[in-house]
Amino acid sequence: MSNTVENKIVGLLGNRLCIWRRNGNRSVFPSPEGTFVKVSCMRYFDPEAVVGCDDGTVRIFDMYSKRCSQIIRMHSAPITCICLSEDQLVVSGSTSGSITISDPSSDQQVATLRSSDCRGIRTLCFNPSSQLVFAGSAVGYTYCWDLRTRRLLWGTRVSPNVIYSLGHLQSDTSTLAVGGIDGILRFLNQNDGNIVSSCVMDNKLLSTSQSSSSSFQRRKGKRLPEDTYINIDTIPMAVRPSITCMAVGMKKIVTTHNSNDIRLWKFK
């Protein structure tokens, strides 16, 4: 997992932080003995990397000194996901289903956001334009809170199984893209959580090409019936490999999958 900034990519390799620079140089630094426990997620906000750990703490690293500058106790359960607000509040989700907000500048816990999902929060994203926090859970729920009031605005079960990734354009306050283990790319209304549309790739292959290191296939997207619950057993697994991560652009969405392929979705 990684965050891309103007001239470098900051990523997490096992229990080590890594910086890939545009000039080709790479810097990998392990933590001092005992600084890292098992880690699961990372977010980068120059010059700091915020890492979520299985012991329920968040560790903040200064990427220039390569030292751990702060350890914040966030949860009593393993942390599964992190997002950062514009004023550098750290929002983290855990396997217990709770979401905690902390302020690193004061080393204080600001608030706890509660969900009805005891099986755990798997992904988080923050919309700075609306000050809304979105979460995806282990049993297919998507939630939305107002970060200013800490109030739950809506919670909707959009999938029968795990939600792995959420995404939206930074300035967009209307649409939320959702992906998970069932491999269906869904679009929700950010204001009420209702499903706007659901998509998979068509099984018919339009074209294919090969390079020395990879292969490329071109397929048409297919919109599914506008039902909240879709009988996924009728959709072939080949067209809906689990969506593990996504990035949202103006008219394109990039998704990664457990089938080791990357898909580029283009929308009119």
Side-chain angles (χ1 to χ4, degrees):
M1 62 190 70
S2 64
N3 289 149
T4 305
V5 290
E6 185 175 351
N7 60 355
K8 58 180 175 289
I9 297 174
V10 180
L12 194 61
L13 296 176
N15 281 7
R16 297 183 297 170
L17 288 169
C18 183
I19 304 173
W20 292 269
R21 301 190 183 279
R22 182 172 293 180
N23 60 13
N25 293 331
R26 188 181 72 167
S27 174
V28 180
F29 57 97
S31 60
E33 186 68 27
T35 300
F36 263 14
V37 292
K38 185 178 179 181
V39 299
S40 58
C41 50
M42 187 274 295
R43 286 291 180 267
Y44 179 71
F45 196 102
D46 193 34
E48 295 176 327
V50 182
V51 179
C53 304
D54 268 14
D55 64 354
T57 63
V58 160
R59 285 163 163 79
I60 300 177
F61 279 78
D62 183 284
M63 299 303 289
Y64 295 99
S65 67
K66 300 181 180 180
R67 295 176 181 267
C68 180
S69 60
Q70 199 170 4
I71 300 176
I72 305 172
R73 168 64 60 181
M74 300 283 281
H75 299 271
S76 58
I79 293 175
T80 53
C81 47
I82 291 174
C83 66
L84 306 175
S85 71
E86 286 189 320
D87 52 0
Q88 297 187 355
L89 292 177
V90 178
V91 184
S92 64
S94 74
T95 56
S96 67
S98 65
I99 296 174
T100 300
I101 306 170
S102 290
D103 184 357
S105 64
S106 62
D107 198 21
Q108 295 292 318
Q109 189 175 119
V110 176
T112 298
L113 307 178
R114 298 291 182 182
S115 72
S116 59
D117 191 351
C118 62
R119 297 199 186 183
I121 300 298
R122 298 302 300 267
T123 181
L124 287 168
C125 68
F126 171 69
N127 190 330
S129 297
S130 60
Q131 293 293 301
L132 299 181
V133 174
F134 301 98
S137 82
V139 291
Y141 278 86
T142 301
Y143 298 97
C144 174
W145 290 267
D146 189 319
L147 191 60
R148 296 160 296 192
T149 63
R150 323 292 195 229
R151 185 167 65 92
L152 178 65
L153 301 182
W154 52 261
T156 306
R157 193 175 194 188
V158 300
S159 170
N161 220 312
V162 185
I163 301 296
Y164 283 136
S165 188
L166 306 169
H168 56 79
L169 288 174
Q170 186 172 5
S171 59
D172 179 31
T173 59
S174 61
T175 305
L176 180 72
V178 178
I181 198 171
D182 66 7
I184 297 173
L185 180 61
R186 294 176 173 88
F187 297 93
L188 310 186
N189 185 321
Q190 290 189 28
N191 296 313
D192 55 23
N194 290 330
I195 296 176
V196 178
S197 63
S198 303
C199 304
V200 294
M201 291 286 185
D202 196 290
N203 203 25
K204 183 180 179 181
L205 185 64
L206 298 180
S207 65
T208 183
S209 60
Q210 188 87 25
S211 70
S212 58
S213 59
S214 57
S215 62
F216 304 87
Q217 295 181 347
R218 186 168 172 265
R219 302 175 186 268
K220 289 189 69 174
K222 179 181 179 181
R223 180 171 291 185
L224 300 176
E226 296 182 6
D227 297 325
T228 301
Y229 298 106
I230 299 168
N231 184 2
I232 61 174
D233 294 332
T234 63
I235 307 172
M237 291 288 294
V239 302
R240 55 174 188 89
S242 295
I243 298 172
T244 56
C245 191
M246 70 171 66
V248 179
M250 288 292 292
K251 294 184 178 181
K252 299 176 183 177
I253 293 180
V254 178
T255 55
T256 61
H257 301 265
N258 63 349
S259 53
N260 295 325
D261 63 326
I262 299 174
R263 293 187 174 188
L264 173 64
W265 306 70
K266 296 182 179 181
F267 299 89
K268 294 182 180 180

